[in-house]
Amino acid sequence: MILIAVCVALMAVIASVSGLNVAQPDLAAAFDASQSTILWIINVYTLALAALLLPLGAIGDRLGRKPMLIAGLGVFGIAGVLAGLAPSAEVMLAARLLGGVGAAMIMPITLAVITSTFPARERGRAIGVWTGVAGGGGILGMFLSAALVDLASWRWLFVLPVVLVIVALVMVLRSVPDSREASGHSFDIVGALTSVIAVIGLVLVLQEGPQRGWTHPAVLISLTAGIAATVCFVTWELHRRDASLLDVRLFRERGLAGGSITLMTVFGVQAGIFVVLFPFLQAVLGWSGLMSTLALMPMAVLMMAASGLAPKMAAHVGPRATMATGILLAGAGLALMAGIVSVDGGYLSVLPGMLAMGIGMGLSMTPSTEAITASLPRERQGVASALNDVTRELGTALGVALLGTLLAVGYRNAISGKLDGVPSSTAATAREGVANAMKAADGAGPHAPTLVHAAQQSFVEGWQQSMWAGVAVMAALLLFVLARGPKRGAPTADQAEPAE
């Protein structure tokens, strides 16, 4: 019951991360808002979530994990109601910001409850279930969101998270025990503030860079602030040592470093895959949003199944071998997608790669998460869980920025030589993206077949460029894990028994 309660709460948060992506045109029409405003409505939630994870995770350790989880569910539920009833873009922005705050109160506590409550012999399986929900829940959330948008209205997107919050709140009140850890040190306010500034700065760079350009003054200011705050955070935490918000000295250990880098990379590649897959399914193949998200379900199902099996595999061959196997499979999936994707092959040309990716990510995520939580003592499990979530969020933003940019550049370079004879204004529109090209083809008259064919083939070439970049990243990660991945080992004494 404890595991179900925290997973339901986690599903509410995860579903809200990706849900609004499928409703961008509807939001723009409802609020008469620009694309920039719509992107802020989507991104401000992720920004608040990522920035507040570490401080709120640490506060939950001190004040009590159950009270923090209950408060977070309350804040998140109120934000969902406000968003669903929002009369304007400004109210929606405020509601999404509040939702991000509530999500940051919930997300690290869900994993901390597992690591501080479950005995060592059951903890691995419980973390596997949590990881499966965290990894596959986003795809399930997108599918349900697309169904609601197609069948009803975008406002119904907030009904599901609110219902999940109510269910989770009832279960938490009845089933989840409270746990908190006494600390002999004052709360690290400086560390909390610098961590917030660092995460906001770096995430803003990754969110705004592809839109505004990497040399835009706002992007450069964010980058400077993020790097400066990161340096200050590390310096201050080294000074605070045992009294720090996050003991950065622990990154010298295999478990924390290997788990964090693996999670960041795997979730980055996963997010980048979605950036590529959705335009392929919708603009190139002409599928609806609902059909496109349904097409991702086989990968989500295999990811969740592999996450559950990963603890058993790790117990037999060790976490490093399990992580390496998962990374190898995920890299092979990327290579398959890059090698055999084609317009004529359609969905079947990418399905084998998606299946391999799903299994690989599931096998690598669970031991990575367990390595992170096992590296920090029991009294810091809120911080450990928050660090796990921060690496996921940063990796997601990095993957979208990197693979999305490579796709866009590859597409533009490829289509430039395929538009001979197409009117200059139509060609300029087509260069902006494959979806733009498909819209432009409707009014291109006799040039329409040439334009459609050029856009589809150019997208595939851009796809291949971004996928091969992903293969290179996964190959580097595989070498790192083989050299510095976590070794087989029993839980530390701090974590051998659940918290009182």
Side-chain angles (χ1 to χ4, degrees), residues 127-337:
I127 290 176
V129 174
W130 184 95
T131 305
V133 172
I139 301 176
L140 181 59
M142 281 191 290
F143 171 69
L144 294 175
S145 298
L148 288 170
V149 170
D150 280 3
L151 300 176
S153 161
W154 65 265
R155 294 188 183 275
W156 284 86
L157 292 177
F158 299 97
V159 173
L160 174 63
V162 171
V163 170
L164 290 174
V165 161
I166 294 172
V167 173
L169 192 56
V170 172
M171 297 186 71
V172 167
L173 289 170
R174 295 183 60 181
S175 304
V176 174
D178 191 18
S179 62
R180 69 188 72 199
E181 308 298 341
S183 174
H185 306 286
S186 61
F187 183 71
D188 184 5
I189 296 176
V190 174
L193 290 176
T194 52
S195 73
V196 169
I197 296 171
V199 173
I200 288 177
L202 296 176
V203 172
L204 273 177
V205 169
L206 297 173
Q207 288 181 348
E208 296 296 312
Q211 301 295 326
R212 296 173 179 256
W214 297 105
T215 58
H216 190 279
V219 175
L220 294 177
I221 291 171
S222 296
L223 179 62
T224 302
I227 293 175
T230 301
V231 172
C232 291
F233 174 77
V234 172
T235 303
W236 178 255
E237 299 303 275
L238 288 172
H239 169 71
R240 291 270 297 189
R241 301 177 70 84
D242 293 337
S244 61
L245 180 73
L246 173 64
D247 191 348
V248 295
R249 296 172 298 173
L250 291 173
F251 280 97
R252 300 169 185 164
E253 304 295 329
R254 289 173 174 264
L256 193 60
S260 298
I261 292 174
T262 299
L263 273 185
M264 182 179 293
T265 306
V266 168
F267 271 90
V269 169
Q270 180 194 40
I273 291 298
F274 293 160
V275 170
V276 175
L277 271 174
F278 272 106
F280 178 76
L281 296 172
Q282 293 180 292
V284 176
L285 301 186
W287 291 11
S288 67
L290 181 60
M291 281 296 296
S292 299
T293 50
L294 182 62
L296 300 178
M297 291 304 290
M299 183 168 69
V301 170
L302 286 180
M303 187 191 308
M304 298 176 78
S307 295
L309 293 174
K312 295 181 180 179
M313 183 173 174
H316 284 88
V317 301
R320 178 165 51 181
T322 304
M323 290 166 64
T325 302
I327 293 165
L328 184 62
L329 280 172
L334 287 171
L336 274 174
M337 283 194 278

Side-chain angles (χ1 to χ4, degrees), residues 10-141:
L10 176 65
M11 177 62 79
V13 172
I14 295 296
S16 293
V17 172
S18 56
L20 278 188
N21 284 311
V22 301
Q24 291 188 43
D26 302 82
L27 289 171
F31 296 134
D32 191 23
S34 66
Q35 180 63 20
S36 175
T37 301
I38 298 303
L39 287 176
W40 266 107
I41 289 174
I42 294 171
N43 291 337
V44 72
Y45 175 88
T46 306
L47 188 64
L49 169 61
L52 295 174
L53 281 168
L54 276 176
L56 293 178
I59 292 172
D61 285 336
R62 288 171 173 260
L63 299 183
R65 296 175 183 121
K66 184 173 182 176
M68 178 64 83
L69 184 54
I70 292 171
L73 288 168
V75 171
F76 190 82
I78 292 170
V81 173
L82 288 175
L85 300 175
S88 65
E90 291 76 16
V91 175
M92 175 63 84
L93 274 168
R96 290 287 287 174
L97 178 62
L98 184 64
V101 175
M105 299 169 72
I106 296 169
M107 200 167 181
I109 301 303
T110 57
L111 182 56
V113 165
I114 291 174
T115 57
S116 63
T117 304
F118 280 73
R121 64 183 179 275
E122 298 176 1
R123 193 175 303 140
R125 286 180 293 174
I127 290 176
V129 174
W130 184 95
T131 305
V133 172
I139 301 176
L140 181 59

Side-chain angles (χ1 to χ4, degrees), residues 357-383:
M357 278 285 298
I359 297 172
M361 288 187 294
L363 289 178
S364 58
M365 288 189 300
T366 300
S368 300
T369 298
E370 212 172 348
I372 292 173
T373 57
S375 298
L376 273 74
R378 185 176 63 187
E379 66 270 15
R380 297 289 185 91
Q381 282 306 292
V383 174

